[in-house]
Amino acid sequence: MIVRQALAADLPGILAVEREGMPAPWSRHLLEAEIFHPAARLFVAGKDDNCTGYISFRLNPPEAELLRLVVATANRRHGIGRNLLESGLKNLTGCGARVCFLEVRQSNIAALALYTRSGFRKIGTRPGYYHSPQEDAVVMQYEMNELPEEE
Ligand SMILES: CC(C)(COP(=O)(O)OP(=O)(O)OC[C@H]1O[C@@H](n2cnc3c(N)ncnc32)[C@H](O)[C@@H]1OP(=O)(O)O)[C@@H](O)C(=O)NCCC(=O)NCCS
């Protein structure tokens, strides 16, 4: 499975994954703005214009923030999310990031398990951070050079 930096041509594929895979998908307008934002780093899983998942970061060295990670429902539990996450973190490390932060819904068992397994650790909570439905966010931090050894 190939993970590559997203291009403008990936917008329709990313949008399709968002709409299919997220209960509150990002709009085309928001995604377009994100792809072209100077601090944005987006990666997609899939060859050519195929997209089975994507990840979106903001990079402001030495800090990075993970904004979004979505894998198409039919492609989950095949290592794509983990591959996107770890490939993205490696790329950001090469670009000067030393720490990466994220927020995740406390009920999101799948994402929490993936982040923990990939080396993120919980550093706090933000009460009532999410709306529709309202929920606390778990704040997690990843320090670069903590990627687990290849299995
Ligand atoms: C979270 C998400 C990206 C995981 O993607 P994925 O490709 O299915 O994840 P992987 O196959 O790489 O899983 C890697 C590890 O994460 C954990 N994991 C993934 N999905 C899980 C689930 N449903 N339940 C428990 N653990 C899970 C497991 O430890 C898994 O390793 P294993 O399969 O060897 O047990 C995917 O479920 C998704 O797109 N969810 C909706 C969007 C979302 O919630 N994004 C995060 C917040 S923006």
Side-chain angles (χ1 to χ4, degrees):
M1 194 255 307
I2 291 180
V3 171
R4 57 189 175 77
Q5 205 137 2
L7 307 168
D10 289 307
L11 186 61
I14 293 175
L15 192 57
V17 167
E18 267 287 320
R19 288 180 174 163
E20 186 276 331
M22 289 301 280
W26 280 1
S27 67
R28 172 183 290 274
H29 179 71
L30 201 153
L31 267 170
E32 221 160 23
E34 195 54 38
I35 281 189
F36 291 111
H37 191 286
R41 296 291 182 279
L42 278 81
F43 304 89
V44 299
K47 271 193 205 164
D48 304 324
D49 60 354
N50 181 267
C51 175
T52 54
Y54 87 100
I55 193 163
S56 170
F57 296 92
R58 284 284 179 92
L59 173 65
N60 293 294
E63 290 188 9
E65 186 179 6
L66 199 173
L67 301 184
R68 204 78 159 167
L69 169 60
V70 192
V71 173
T73 311
N75 295 288
R76 290 182 188 167
R77 295 312 288 263
H78 294 295
I80 295 175
R82 187 175 179 194
N83 209 325
L84 278 164
L85 179 61
E86 295 183 359
S87 300
L89 289 171
K90 252 184 213 161
N91 180 289
L92 297 181
T93 305
C95 296
R98 290 295 163 263
V99 63
C100 182
F101 298 97
L102 64 80
E103 280 111 13
V104 57
R105 282 185 181 269
Q106 66 176 6
S107 65
N108 194 339
I109 303 300
L112 281 164
L114 168 58
Y115 297 144
T116 302
R117 184 177 170 160
S118 293
F120 280 82
R121 65 187 171 85
K122 178 177 173 178
I123 55 167
T125 53
R126 292 196 205 288
Y129 180 81
Y130 291 105
H131 300 276
S132 310
Q134 186 160 25
E135 189 175 347
D136 295 354
V138 175
V139 184
M140 303 185 86
Q141 172 181 313
Y142 172 84
E143 286 176 44
M144 272 47 182
N145 304 323
E146 282 182 9
L147 280 180
E149 296 298 318
E150 295 292 324
E151 287 169 6

